[in-house]
Amino acid sequence: QVQLVESGGGLVQAGGSLRLSCTASGRTISAFTMGWFRQAPGKEREFVAAIRRFVESTYYTDSVKGRFTISRDNAKNTVYLQMNTLTPEDTAVYYCAATESLRSVFVQRTYDYWGQGTQVTVSS
């Protein structure tokens, strides 16, 4: 079992930055592909970014490319999402997820473990 805890959310003005953290316990995240998803009010949860285990390939949804960066620190058992140039459209609850599967990183059902989420609010 893996427990995931997100942190780093908050209120920020448009154009600002936040760094989300997802710390795992129970197992080392080096064995997992890690993903970030988000759910805005009234919308379905959507893929944001992912980083594959071992090969460290990264993936992003088009709307965050060039603004968000996913990374991991295996020694700290933590994955990060650096978010720059935030816009009100980025307002959502952000979830961290983990999987050992080789299936598509873009699909929610690929992931076996989920955090509780952290709220990000971007004011205009």
Side-chain angles (χ1 to χ4, degrees):
Q1 281 282 14
V2 176
Q3 293 77 43
L4 303 173
V5 178
E6 302 97 335
S7 61
L11 174 62
V12 64
Q13 288 189 333
S17 299
L18 283 174
R19 188 178 77 159
L20 304 184
S21 300
C22 172
T23 300
S25 60
R27 290 182 61 188
T28 175
I29 64 165
S30 62
F32 291 86
T33 288
M34 303 297 295
W36 287 97
F37 289 75
R38 66 186 179 186
Q39 187 168 19
K43 295 186 177 181
E44 294 188 354
R45 190 158 56 182
E46 64 173 358
F47 171 82
V48 176
I51 183 166
R52 280 275 188 206
R53 64 176 181 168
F54 307 135
V55 296
E56 302 293 293
S57 303
T58 56
Y59 308 82
Y60 300 93
T61 192
D62 285 346
S63 64
V64 308
K65 285 180 181 176
R67 300 189 299 123
F68 290 13
T69 303
I70 187 171
S71 62
R72 69 163 89 214
D73 185 337
N74 290 334
K76 295 183 178 180
N77 228 28
T78 299
V79 63
Y80 303 100
L81 186 67
Q82 177 67 44
M83 306 187 296
N84 299 327
T85 320
L86 286 161
T87 74
E89 289 68 37
D90 295 315
T91 294
V93 177
Y94 284 71
Y95 297 91
C96 174
T99 182
E100 293 177 280
S101 170
L102 297 178
R103 297 191 302 267
S104 171
V105 300
F106 302 101
V107 178
Q108 293 185 56
R109 64 178 178 270
T110 291
Y111 297 85
D112 302 304
Y113 305 100
W114 292 82
Q116 299 280 63
T118 185
Q119 176 70 49
V120 171
T121 303
V122 184
S123 62
S124 57

